[in-house]
Amino acid sequence: MIQANKGSVITSFHQQTLDIRQYELDYFLMVFDRMSSIAALLGSFASSAMFITIPKWVNPIVVALFLTFAGCAVGLNLIVILIASLSAMWGPGQALRGDDAKHMHMAIETLEAAQQIAMRYFVFGLFCYFGSSIMVTWVLFDIVQAVLITFILITFLFALFRQSMVIRRAFITTLPFTTGLLRGNPVRSPDEIGQGTGTGGTRR
């Protein structure tokens, strides 16, 4: 009876731990979903700008800068979409079909690392999109209009950067995040049980 109660308590504790980690898994999937949606929108805008008709009198350096920014914006956002899509497809699969709880922990650690990498590409892609938007004004408009639009876009870029820093300081601290990972495995996995028993089923 005591052993049965002990097993029930350990199993319940282990299940609650996995429930907490499931919240973390859902959080990363939500982040990847939002990030991929915004990256697809920015990538489509940048790719459509590359098909505009460029006047022959435009400075080739300006055209080269415009195409560089636009191409980088498309490429970086495509990388974000790829990382988000593959992580959302394969991450939950590893957590679901793993032999024990360590596969859930490995999946979440991998998703967290992929999310940080995708965020860097996303930020670089956003700045390249702003760069392509600025350079397209120098391709299509005269110098007075281009200077005016460039000033407006740079103002909004600084406002975007400042607002992102305010939100980051409000929600992200310098301390490491607390996770639901518990050190040590409260329930032995089948592999550990197999290593601890002999071929005849007796303990070594």
Side-chain angles (χ1 to χ4, degrees):
M1 185 65 181
I2 294 177
Q3 292 297 327
N5 290 335
K6 178 182 177 181
S8 177
V9 170
I10 293 177
T11 302
S12 177
F13 174 75
H14 195 57
Q15 184 176 1
Q16 291 177 6
T17 303
L18 291 178
D19 289 340
I20 295 173
R21 301 245 74 185
Q22 180 65 40
Y23 291 133
E24 296 184 66
L25 183 65
D26 294 338
Y27 163 74
F28 285 115
L29 293 179
M30 180 270 296
V31 171
F32 282 126
D33 180 67
R34 299 293 188 274
M35 196 180 300
S36 62
S37 299
I38 299 174
L41 183 64
L42 294 178
S44 63
F45 287 160
S47 62
S48 62
M50 298 178 65
F51 293 99
I52 63 173
T53 302
I54 299 177
K56 296 182 179 180
W57 51 266
V58 179
N59 191 333
I61 298 178
V62 175
V63 177
L65 288 175
F66 162 66
L67 294 177
T68 300
F69 278 116
C72 289
V74 174
L76 291 170
N77 283 289
L78 285 177
I79 293 176
V80 173
I81 295 172
L82 178 65
I83 294 175
S85 300
L86 296 181
S87 299
M89 285 190 300
W90 292 340
Q94 182 185 24
L96 178 63
R97 296 178 298 195
D99 295 333
D100 54 17
K102 68 180 181 181
H103 291 88
M104 170 71 84
H105 306 324
M106 292 172 56
I108 293 177
E109 290 176 358
T110 305
L111 289 176
E112 184 176 5
Q115 184 261 338
Q116 295 175 357
I117 296 174
M119 182 59 69
R120 295 190 187 99
Y121 283 115
F122 178 78
V123 172
F124 290 146
L126 181 61
F127 279 101
C128 287
Y129 173 74
F130 266 94
S132 65
S133 300
I134 291 173
M135 296 310 301
V136 75
T137 60
W138 292 88
V139 172
L140 299 179
F141 303 104
D142 58 37
I143 186 169
V144 176
Q145 296 172 338
V147 169
L148 177 61
I149 298 175
T150 300
F151 174 76
I152 295 174
L153 290 177
I154 292 178
T155 301
F156 278 106
L157 181 61
F158 277 108
L160 184 147
F161 178 77
R162 179 181 178 278
Q163 191 63 34
S164 63
M165 289 297 100
V166 170
I167 296 175
R168 180 181 176 85
R169 285 194 297 266
F171 290 103
I172 300 179
T173 63
T174 56
L175 299 176
F177 285 111
T178 301
T179 67
L181 175 61
L182 296 178
R183 302 300 176 183
N185 193 357
V187 178
R188 297 191 343 174
S189 65
D191 293 337
E192 294 173 345
I193 295 176
Q195 293 174 0
T197 59
T199 58
T202 59
R203 185 174 300 277
R204 292 179 182 175

